[in-house]
């Protein structure tokens, strides 16, 4: 049973774990999209995630550009984030359920981060004065490889780029198609 004093502590712990999970997901996106790691924002993310990632990377496990060690670490941090609020209540999770649900949550949050990058990049493109900021450069480096196949299919129209809108629709459809079966599988375990 949770008491009055433990709720703020659990909230702070979940917030810290969520921040670290966010940094790990960004690191994974940076590696997959091959962004410029000399960008100051990338350097901050690398400095935050290296202390946890370096000891685990003694055996490189890559499938293409995807770092499997990073995926395992993000899934473990997500599982801890899910389990943390229930730790003091005595609620029991099956380990299999927790792992599958945390992987689904990790994928859902990755899609959400990319969705927000597309939104921020589209809004940032309206303001030329801010396009030189490292965050907008980084967002362009994340979104540009995703825009390229869409731009190859859809021809350019008189100065209006529809690729961000189409990419947002694709991300939403992927979230609707991929995430619910993962959570259903976790529910059945």
């Amino acid at each position: 049973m949770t008491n009055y004093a433990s709720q703020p502590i659990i909230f702070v712990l979940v917030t810290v774990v969520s921040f670290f999970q966010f940094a790990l997901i960004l690191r994974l996106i940076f590696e997959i999209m091959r962004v410029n790691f000399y960008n100051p924002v990338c350097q901050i993310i690398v400095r935050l995630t290296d202390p946890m990632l370096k000891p685990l990377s003694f055996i490189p496990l890559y499938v293409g550009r995807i770092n499997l060690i990073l995926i395992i670490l993000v899934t473990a941090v997500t599982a801890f984030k899910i389990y943390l609020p229930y730790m003091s209540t005595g609620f029991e999770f099956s380990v299999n359920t927790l792992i599958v649900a945390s992987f689904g949550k990790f994928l859902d949050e990755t899609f959400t981060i990319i969705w927000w990058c597309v939104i921020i990049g589209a809004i940032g493109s309206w303001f030329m004065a801010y396009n030189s900021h490292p965050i907008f450069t980084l967002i362009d480096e994340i979104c540009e490889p995703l825009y390229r196949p869409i731009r190859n299919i859809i021809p350019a129209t008189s100065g209006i780029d529809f690729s961000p809108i189409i990419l947002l629709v694709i991300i939403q459809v992927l979230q609707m198609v991929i995430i619910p079966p993962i959570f259903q599988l976790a529910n059945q375990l």
Side-chain angles (χ1 to χ4, degrees):
M1 184 78 49
T2 59
N3 62 22
Y4 180 75
S6 68
Q7 289 177 354
I9 295 169
I10 291 172
F11 170 74
V12 170
L13 287 174
V14 168
T15 302
V16 169
V17 170
S18 296
F19 177 73
F20 187 65
Q21 176 204 22
F22 178 72
L24 286 170
I25 292 173
L26 283 180
R27 172 84 180 251
L28 179 66
I29 292 170
F30 294 168
E31 288 184 8
I32 291 172
M33 298 299 174
R34 294 188 178 170
V35 300
N36 179 8
F37 276 89
Y38 291 109
N39 186 311
V41 179
C42 282
Q43 290 178 356
I44 291 170
I45 297 298
V46 168
R47 283 188 201 127
L48 281 172
T49 57
D50 262 355
M52 188 73 154
L53 199 55
K54 283 234 180 187
L56 298 174
S57 337
F58 61 91
I59 300 175
L61 289 174
Y62 284 90
V63 175
R65 292 188 237 175
I66 300 171
N67 184 350
L68 294 179
I69 295 291
L70 192 52
I71 289 177
I72 292 168
L73 183 61
V74 174
T75 303
V77 169
T78 306
F80 184 64
K81 175 183 150 184
I82 292 171
Y83 185 69
L84 197 58
Y86 301 104
M87 200 180 319
S88 63
T89 63
F91 185 76
E92 291 292 325
F93 282 106
S94 154
V95 174
N96 295 337
T97 300
L98 187 61
I99 290 171
V100 172
S102 62
F103 182 73
K105 184 71 173 161
F106 149 64
L107 285 178
D108 186 44
E109 291 181 4
T110 303
F111 283 133
T112 302
I113 289 170
I114 293 172
W115 190 85
W116 280 108
C117 285
V118 172
I119 294 289
I120 293 168
I123 293 172
S125 69
W126 301 340
F127 305 104
M128 296 306 272
Y130 298 107
N131 279 341
S132 63
H133 194 278
I135 290 178
F136 287 109
T137 305
L138 182 64
I139 288 174
D140 285 342
E141 290 176 2
I142 289 171
C143 295
E144 199 57 41
L146 300 172
Y147 293 153
R148 201 171 301 124
I150 297 169
R151 288 179 180 151
N152 289 339
I153 294 172
I154 296 177
T157 56
S158 62
I160 299 174
D161 187 11
F162 289 107
S163 57
I165 297 168
I166 294 169
L167 182 58
L168 289 174
V169 170
I170 291 170
I171 291 170
Q172 289 294 84
V173 168
L174 285 174
Q175 276 183 305
M176 290 178 199
V177 170
I178 294 173
I179 305 303
I182 294 174
F183 286 130
Q184 280 183 336
L185 175 66
N187 197 20
Q188 292 173 357
L189 295 177

PDB file of all heavy atoms in Angstrom, residues 26-38 42 62-66 138 140-142 145 148:
ATOM      1  N   LEU A  26      16.864   8.826 -27.868  1.00  0.00           N
ATOM      2  CA  LEU A  26      17.481   9.793 -28.783  1.00  0.00           C
ATOM      3  C   LEU A  26      18.803   9.267 -29.315  1.00  0.00           C
ATOM      4  O   LEU A  26      19.114   9.406 -30.502  1.00  0.00           O
ATOM      5  CB  LEU A  26      17.688  11.141 -28.089  1.00  0.00           C
ATOM      6  CG  LEU A  26      16.465  12.018 -27.929  1.00  0.00           C
ATOM      7  CD1 LEU A  26      16.827  13.309 -27.215  1.00  0.00           C
ATOM      8  CD2 LEU A  26      15.832  12.330 -29.275  1.00  0.00           C
ATOM      9  N   ARG A  27      19.605   8.651 -28.449  1.00  0.00           N
ATOM     10  CA  ARG A  27      20.888   8.089 -28.882  1.00  0.00           C
ATOM     11  C   ARG A  27      20.665   7.024 -29.955  1.00  0.00           C
ATOM     12  O   ARG A  27      21.402   6.971 -30.951  1.00  0.00           O
ATOM     13  CB  ARG A  27      21.616   7.505 -27.663  1.00  0.00           C
ATOM     14  CG  ARG A  27      22.872   6.723 -27.962  1.00  0.00           C
ATOM     15  CD  ARG A  27      24.076   7.630 -28.103  1.00  0.00           C
ATOM     16  NE  ARG A  27      25.272   6.867 -28.378  1.00  0.00           N
ATOM     17  CZ  ARG A  27      26.255   6.696 -27.517  1.00  0.00           C
ATOM     18  NH1 ARG A  27      26.193   7.239 -26.314  1.00  0.00           N
ATOM     19  NH2 ARG A  27      27.315   6.012 -27.849  1.00  0.00           N
ATOM     20  N   LEU A  28      19.662   6.187 -29.780  1.00  0.00           N
ATOM     21  CA  LEU A  28      19.353   5.164 -30.775  1.00  0.00           C
ATOM     22  C   LEU A  28      18.925   5.805 -32.096  1.00  0.00           C
ATOM     23  O   LEU A  28      19.389   5.403 -33.171  1.00  0.00           O
ATOM     24  CB  LEU A  28      18.254   4.231 -30.260  1.00  0.00           C
ATOM     25  CG  LEU A  28      17.822   3.120 -31.204  1.00  0.00           C
ATOM     26  CD1 LEU A  28      18.953   2.122 -31.419  1.00  0.00           C
ATOM     27  CD2 LEU A  28      16.588   2.423 -30.679  1.00  0.00           C
ATOM     28  N   ILE A  29      18.075   6.806 -32.037  1.00  0.00           N
ATOM     29  CA  ILE A  29      17.637   7.508 -33.248  1.00  0.00           C
ATOM     30  C   ILE A  29      18.828   8.166 -33.930  1.00  0.00           C
ATOM     31  O   ILE A  29      18.960   8.119 -35.156  1.00  0.00           O
ATOM     32  CB  ILE A  29      16.530   8.530 -32.913  1.00  0.00           C
ATOM     33  CG1 ILE A  29      15.250   7.817 -32.497  1.00  0.00           C
ATOM     34  CG2 ILE A  29      16.258   9.452 -34.102  1.00  0.00           C
ATOM     35  CD1 ILE A  29      14.182   8.739 -31.930  1.00  0.00           C
ATOM     36  N   PHE A  30      19.724   8.776 -33.151  1.00  0.00           N
ATOM     37  CA  PHE A  30      20.910   9.418 -33.720  1.00  0.00           C
ATOM     38  C   PHE A  30      21.775   8.403 -34.458  1.00  0.00           C
ATOM     39  O   PHE A  30      22.298   8.687 -35.530  1.00  0.00           O
ATOM     40  CB  PHE A  30      21.751  10.086 -32.638  1.00  0.00           C
ATOM     41  CG  PHE A  30      21.100  11.259 -31.957  1.00  0.00           C
ATOM     42  CD1 PHE A  30      21.654  11.789 -30.803  1.00  0.00           C
ATOM     43  CD2 PHE A  30      19.940  11.827 -32.438  1.00  0.00           C
ATOM     44  CE1 PHE A  30      21.071  12.853 -30.160  1.00  0.00           C
ATOM     45  CE2 PHE A  30      19.334  12.900 -31.801  1.00  0.00           C
ATOM     46  CZ  PHE A  30      19.913  13.419 -30.655  1.00  0.00           C
ATOM     47  N   GLU A  31      21.940   7.214 -33.875  1.00  0.00           N
ATOM     48  CA  GLU A  31      22.769   6.200 -34.520  1.00  0.00           C
ATOM     49  C   GLU A  31      22.109   5.655 -35.779  1.00  0.00           C
ATOM     50  O   GLU A  31      22.782   5.426 -36.780  1.00  0.00           O
ATOM     51  CB  GLU A  31      23.078   5.063 -33.543  1.00  0.00           C
ATOM     52  CG  GLU A  31      24.051   5.454 -32.464  1.00  0.00           C
ATOM     53  CD  GLU A  31      24.425   4.307 -31.551  1.00  0.00           C
ATOM     54  OE1 GLU A  31      24.052   3.154 -31.838  1.00  0.00           O
ATOM     55  OE2 GLU A  31      25.112   4.573 -30.548  1.00  0.00           O
ATOM     56  N   ILE A  32      20.812   5.437 -35.746  1.00  0.00           N
ATOM     57  CA  ILE A  32      20.120   4.897 -36.919  1.00  0.00           C
ATOM     58  C   ILE A  32      20.119   5.916 -38.063  1.00  0.00           C
ATOM     59  O   ILE A  32      20.350   5.567 -39.217  1.00  0.00           O
ATOM     60  CB  ILE A  32      18.689   4.462 -36.559  1.00  0.00           C
ATOM     61  CG1 ILE A  32      18.735   3.243 -35.643  1.00  0.00           C
ATOM     62  CG2 ILE A  32      17.873   4.169 -37.811  1.00  0.00           C
ATOM     63  CD1 ILE A  32      17.393   2.837 -35.074  1.00  0.00           C
ATOM     64  N   MET A  33      19.874   7.180 -37.749  1.00  0.00           N
ATOM     65  CA  MET A  33      19.784   8.214 -38.776  1.00  0.00           C
ATOM     66  C   MET A  33      21.154   8.787 -39.163  1.00  0.00           C
ATOM     67  O   MET A  33      21.235   9.629 -40.050  1.00  0.00           O
ATOM     68  CB  MET A  33      18.876   9.362 -38.310  1.00  0.00           C
ATOM     69  CG  MET A  33      17.460   8.947 -38.059  1.00  0.00           C
ATOM     70  SD  MET A  33      16.712   8.298 -39.540  1.00  0.00           S
ATOM     71  CE  MET A  33      15.172   7.750 -38.899  1.00  0.00           C
ATOM     72  N   ARG A  34      22.201   8.358 -38.459  1.00  0.00           N
ATOM     73  CA  ARG A  34      23.576   8.810 -38.724  1.00  0.00           C
ATOM     74  C   ARG A  34      23.692  10.332 -38.727  1.00  0.00           C
ATOM     75  O   ARG A  34      24.177  10.935 -39.682  1.00  0.00           O
ATOM     76  CB  ARG A  34      24.082   8.233 -40.033  1.00  0.00           C
ATOM     77  CG  ARG A  34      24.230   6.753 -39.992  1.00  0.00           C
ATOM     78  CD  ARG A  34      24.898   6.221 -41.216  1.00  0.00           C
ATOM     79  NE  ARG A  34      25.046   4.785 -41.096  1.00  0.00           N
ATOM     80  CZ  ARG A  34      25.420   4.004 -42.066  1.00  0.00           C
ATOM     81  NH1 ARG A  34      25.688   4.515 -43.233  1.00  0.00           N
ATOM     82  NH2 ARG A  34      25.529   2.709 -41.872  1.00  0.00           N
ATOM     83  N   VAL A  35      23.256  10.923 -37.648  1.00  0.00           N
ATOM     84  CA  VAL A  35      23.348  12.371 -37.525  1.00  0.00           C
ATOM     85  C   VAL A  35      24.786  12.763 -37.221  1.00  0.00           C
ATOM     86  O   VAL A  35      25.621  11.929 -36.849  1.00  0.00           O
ATOM     87  CB  VAL A  35      22.390  12.913 -36.432  1.00  0.00           C
ATOM     88  CG1 VAL A  35      20.960  12.570 -36.752  1.00  0.00           C
ATOM     89  CG2 VAL A  35      22.771  12.418 -35.072  1.00  0.00           C
ATOM     90  N   ASN A  36      25.070  14.035 -37.340  1.00  0.00           N
ATOM     91  CA  ASN A  36      26.399  14.571 -37.066  1.00  0.00           C
ATOM     92  C   ASN A  36      26.636  14.574 -35.554  1.00  0.00           C
ATOM     93  O   ASN A  36      26.000  15.336 -34.822  1.00  0.00           O
ATOM     94  CB  ASN A  36      26.497  15.991 -37.632  1.00  0.00           C
ATOM     95  CG  ASN A  36      27.828  16.625 -37.383  1.00  0.00           C
ATOM     96  OD1 ASN A  36      28.769  15.995 -36.910  1.00  0.00           O
ATOM     97  ND2 ASN A  36      27.920  17.900 -37.720  1.00  0.00           N
ATOM     98  N   PHE A  37      27.555  13.741 -35.086  1.00  0.00           N
ATOM     99  CA  PHE A  37      27.795  13.638 -33.657  1.00  0.00           C
ATOM    100  C   PHE A  37      28.635  14.791 -33.123  1.00  0.00           C
ATOM    101  O   PHE A  37      28.927  14.843 -31.938  1.00  0.00           O
ATOM    102  CB  PHE A  37      28.403  12.282 -33.297  1.00  0.00           C
ATOM    103  CG  PHE A  37      27.386  11.209 -33.128  1.00  0.00           C
ATOM    104  CD1 PHE A  37      26.974  10.439 -34.203  1.00  0.00           C
ATOM    105  CD2 PHE A  37      26.800  10.980 -31.901  1.00  0.00           C
ATOM    106  CE1 PHE A  37      26.011   9.459 -34.050  1.00  0.00           C
ATOM    107  CE2 PHE A  37      25.834  10.005 -31.730  1.00  0.00           C
ATOM    108  CZ  PHE A  37      25.444   9.246 -32.808  1.00  0.00           C
ATOM    109  N   TYR A  38      29.035  15.718 -33.983  1.00  0.00           N
ATOM    110  CA  TYR A  38      29.704  16.929 -33.509  1.00  0.00           C
ATOM    111  C   TYR A  38      28.709  18.019 -33.130  1.00  0.00           C
ATOM    112  O   TYR A  38      29.093  19.066 -32.626  1.00  0.00           O
ATOM    113  CB  TYR A  38      30.677  17.449 -34.568  1.00  0.00           C
ATOM    114  CG  TYR A  38      31.859  16.530 -34.748  1.00  0.00           C
ATOM    115  CD1 TYR A  38      32.000  15.762 -35.886  1.00  0.00           C
ATOM    116  CD2 TYR A  38      32.821  16.410 -33.750  1.00  0.00           C
ATOM    117  CE1 TYR A  38      33.069  14.910 -36.040  1.00  0.00           C
ATOM    118  CE2 TYR A  38      33.894  15.563 -33.896  1.00  0.00           C
ATOM    119  CZ  TYR A  38      34.012  14.815 -35.040  1.00  0.00           C
ATOM    120  OH  TYR A  38      35.077  13.967 -35.191  1.00  0.00           O
ATOM    121  N   CYS A  42      23.915  16.481 -29.716  1.00  0.00           N
ATOM    122  CA  CYS A  42      24.343  15.075 -29.773  1.00  0.00           C
ATOM    123  C   CYS A  42      25.413  14.798 -28.734  1.00  0.00           C
ATOM    124  O   CYS A  42      25.409  13.737 -28.101  1.00  0.00           O
ATOM    125  CB  CYS A  42      24.892  14.745 -31.150  1.00  0.00           C
ATOM    126  SG  CYS A  42      23.647  14.475 -32.379  1.00  0.00           S
ATOM    127  N   TYR A  62      25.363  -5.421 -33.544  1.00  0.00           N
ATOM    128  CA  TYR A  62      24.677  -4.558 -34.492  1.00  0.00           C
ATOM    129  C   TYR A  62      23.958  -5.394 -35.541  1.00  0.00           C
ATOM    130  O   TYR A  62      24.468  -6.415 -35.984  1.00  0.00           O
ATOM    131  CB  TYR A  62      25.667  -3.633 -35.217  1.00  0.00           C
ATOM    132  CG  TYR A  62      26.144  -2.484 -34.373  1.00  0.00           C
ATOM    133  CD1 TYR A  62      27.270  -2.601 -33.585  1.00  0.00           C
ATOM    134  CD2 TYR A  62      25.456  -1.287 -34.366  1.00  0.00           C
ATOM    135  CE1 TYR A  62      27.710  -1.551 -32.808  1.00  0.00           C
ATOM    136  CE2 TYR A  62      25.883  -0.226 -33.602  1.00  0.00           C
ATOM    137  CZ  TYR A  62      27.017  -0.361 -32.826  1.00  0.00           C
ATOM    138  OH  TYR A  62      27.437   0.684 -32.059  1.00  0.00           O
ATOM    139  N   VAL A  63      22.780  -4.946 -35.909  1.00  0.00           N
ATOM    140  CA  VAL A  63      22.076  -5.469 -37.067  1.00  0.00           C
ATOM    141  C   VAL A  63      21.897  -4.272 -37.985  1.00  0.00           C
ATOM    142  O   VAL A  63      21.036  -3.421 -37.754  1.00  0.00           O
ATOM    143  CB  VAL A  63      20.711  -6.078 -36.680  1.00  0.00           C
ATOM    144  CG1 VAL A  63      19.952  -6.494 -37.925  1.00  0.00           C
ATOM    145  CG2 VAL A  63      20.893  -7.232 -35.728  1.00  0.00           C
ATOM    146  N   GLY A  64      22.732  -4.175 -38.992  1.00  0.00           N
ATOM    147  CA  GLY A  64      22.753  -2.984 -39.831  1.00  0.00           C
ATOM    148  C   GLY A  64      23.228  -1.796 -38.999  1.00  0.00           C
ATOM    149  O   GLY A  64      24.291  -1.826 -38.408  1.00  0.00           O
ATOM    150  N   ARG A  65      22.401  -0.777 -38.942  1.00  0.00           N
ATOM    151  CA  ARG A  65      22.721   0.398 -38.129  1.00  0.00           C
ATOM    152  C   ARG A  65      22.134   0.326 -36.726  1.00  0.00           C
ATOM    153  O   ARG A  65      22.287   1.247 -35.944  1.00  0.00           O
ATOM    154  CB  ARG A  65      22.171   1.654 -38.787  1.00  0.00           C
ATOM    155  CG  ARG A  65      22.834   2.027 -40.058  1.00  0.00           C
ATOM    156  CD  ARG A  65      22.326   3.372 -40.485  1.00  0.00           C
ATOM    157  NE  ARG A  65      21.754   3.252 -41.813  1.00  0.00           N
ATOM    158  CZ  ARG A  65      21.143   4.228 -42.433  1.00  0.00           C
ATOM    159  NH1 ARG A  65      20.992   5.374 -41.863  1.00  0.00           N
ATOM    160  NH2 ARG A  65      20.664   4.050 -43.637  1.00  0.00           N
ATOM    161  N   ILE A  66      21.445  -0.749 -36.409  1.00  0.00           N
ATOM    162  CA  ILE A  66      20.718  -0.836 -35.142  1.00  0.00           C
ATOM    163  C   ILE A  66      21.598  -1.502 -34.086  1.00  0.00           C
ATOM    164  O   ILE A  66      22.033  -2.635 -34.249  1.00  0.00           O
ATOM    165  CB  ILE A  66      19.404  -1.615 -35.332  1.00  0.00           C
ATOM    166  CG1 ILE A  66      18.527  -0.886 -36.364  1.00  0.00           C
ATOM    167  CG2 ILE A  66      18.677  -1.766 -34.018  1.00  0.00           C
ATOM    168  CD1 ILE A  66      17.307  -1.654 -36.790  1.00  0.00           C
ATOM    169  N   LEU A 138      19.821  19.354 -36.044  1.00  0.00           N
ATOM    170  CA  LEU A 138      19.681  17.968 -35.628  1.00  0.00           C
ATOM    171  C   LEU A 138      18.333  17.380 -36.057  1.00  0.00           C
ATOM    172  O   LEU A 138      18.266  16.256 -36.559  1.00  0.00           O
ATOM    173  CB  LEU A 138      19.843  17.872 -34.108  1.00  0.00           C
ATOM    174  CG  LEU A 138      19.767  16.492 -33.491  1.00  0.00           C
ATOM    175  CD1 LEU A 138      20.910  15.637 -33.984  1.00  0.00           C
ATOM    176  CD2 LEU A 138      19.813  16.603 -31.990  1.00  0.00           C
ATOM    177  N   ASP A 140      16.516  18.339 -38.559  1.00  0.00           N
ATOM    178  CA  ASP A 140      16.570  18.137 -40.010  1.00  0.00           C
ATOM    179  C   ASP A 140      17.334  16.866 -40.362  1.00  0.00           C
ATOM    180  O   ASP A 140      16.949  16.126 -41.262  1.00  0.00           O
ATOM    181  CB  ASP A 140      17.218  19.338 -40.704  1.00  0.00           C
ATOM    182  CG  ASP A 140      16.297  20.536 -40.772  1.00  0.00           C
ATOM    183  OD1 ASP A 140      15.073  20.351 -40.609  1.00  0.00           O
ATOM    184  OD2 ASP A 140      16.801  21.664 -40.982  1.00  0.00           O
ATOM    185  N   GLU A 141      18.422  16.594 -39.641  1.00  0.00           N
ATOM    186  CA  GLU A 141      19.209  15.382 -39.904  1.00  0.00           C
ATOM    187  C   GLU A 141      18.434  14.120 -39.527  1.00  0.00           C
ATOM    188  O   GLU A 141      18.640  13.065 -40.122  1.00  0.00           O
ATOM    189  CB  GLU A 141      20.532  15.425 -39.146  1.00  0.00           C
ATOM    190  CG  GLU A 141      21.506  16.439 -39.682  1.00  0.00           C
ATOM    191  CD  GLU A 141      22.777  16.531 -38.863  1.00  0.00           C
ATOM    192  OE1 GLU A 141      22.929  15.775 -37.884  1.00  0.00           O
ATOM    193  OE2 GLU A 141      23.622  17.367 -39.206  1.00  0.00           O
ATOM    194  N   ILE A 142      17.558  14.223 -38.544  1.00  0.00           N
ATOM    195  CA  ILE A 142      16.728  13.076 -38.169  1.00  0.00           C
ATOM    196  C   ILE A 142      15.619  12.862 -39.198  1.00  0.00           C
ATOM    197  O   ILE A 142      15.349  11.733 -39.608  1.00  0.00           O
ATOM    198  CB  ILE A 142      16.120  13.277 -36.760  1.00  0.00           C
ATOM    199  CG1 ILE A 142      17.202  13.170 -35.689  1.00  0.00           C
ATOM    200  CG2 ILE A 142      15.005  12.267 -36.495  1.00  0.00           C
ATOM    201  CD1 ILE A 142      16.735  13.565 -34.306  1.00  0.00           C
ATOM    202  N   PRO A 145      16.250  11.763 -43.775  1.00  0.00           N
ATOM    203  CA  PRO A 145      16.225  10.408 -44.350  1.00  0.00           C
ATOM    204  C   PRO A 145      14.821   9.807 -44.416  1.00  0.00           C
ATOM    205  O   PRO A 145      14.565   8.927 -45.240  1.00  0.00           O
ATOM    206  CB  PRO A 145      17.101   9.582 -43.390  1.00  0.00           C
ATOM    207  CG  PRO A 145      17.926  10.567 -42.666  1.00  0.00           C
ATOM    208  CD  PRO A 145      17.137  11.833 -42.620  1.00  0.00           C
ATOM    209  N   ARG A 148      13.033  11.606 -47.598  1.00  0.00           N
ATOM    210  CA  ARG A 148      13.586  11.305 -48.916  1.00  0.00           C
ATOM    211  C   ARG A 148      12.757  10.292 -49.711  1.00  0.00           C
ATOM    212  O   ARG A 148      12.431  10.557 -50.882  1.00  0.00           O
ATOM    213  CB  ARG A 148      15.039  10.847 -48.772  1.00  0.00           C
ATOM    214  CG  ARG A 148      15.838  11.002 -50.030  1.00  0.00           C
ATOM    215  CD  ARG A 148      17.328  10.745 -49.816  1.00  0.00           C
ATOM    216  NE  ARG A 148      17.877  11.660 -48.815  1.00  0.00           N
ATOM    217  CZ  ARG A 148      18.519  11.253 -47.717  1.00  0.00           C
ATOM    218  NH1 ARG A 148      18.686   9.973 -47.476  1.00  0.00           N
ATOM    219  NH2 ARG A 148      19.001  12.134 -46.863  1.00  0.00           N
TER     220      ARG A 148
END
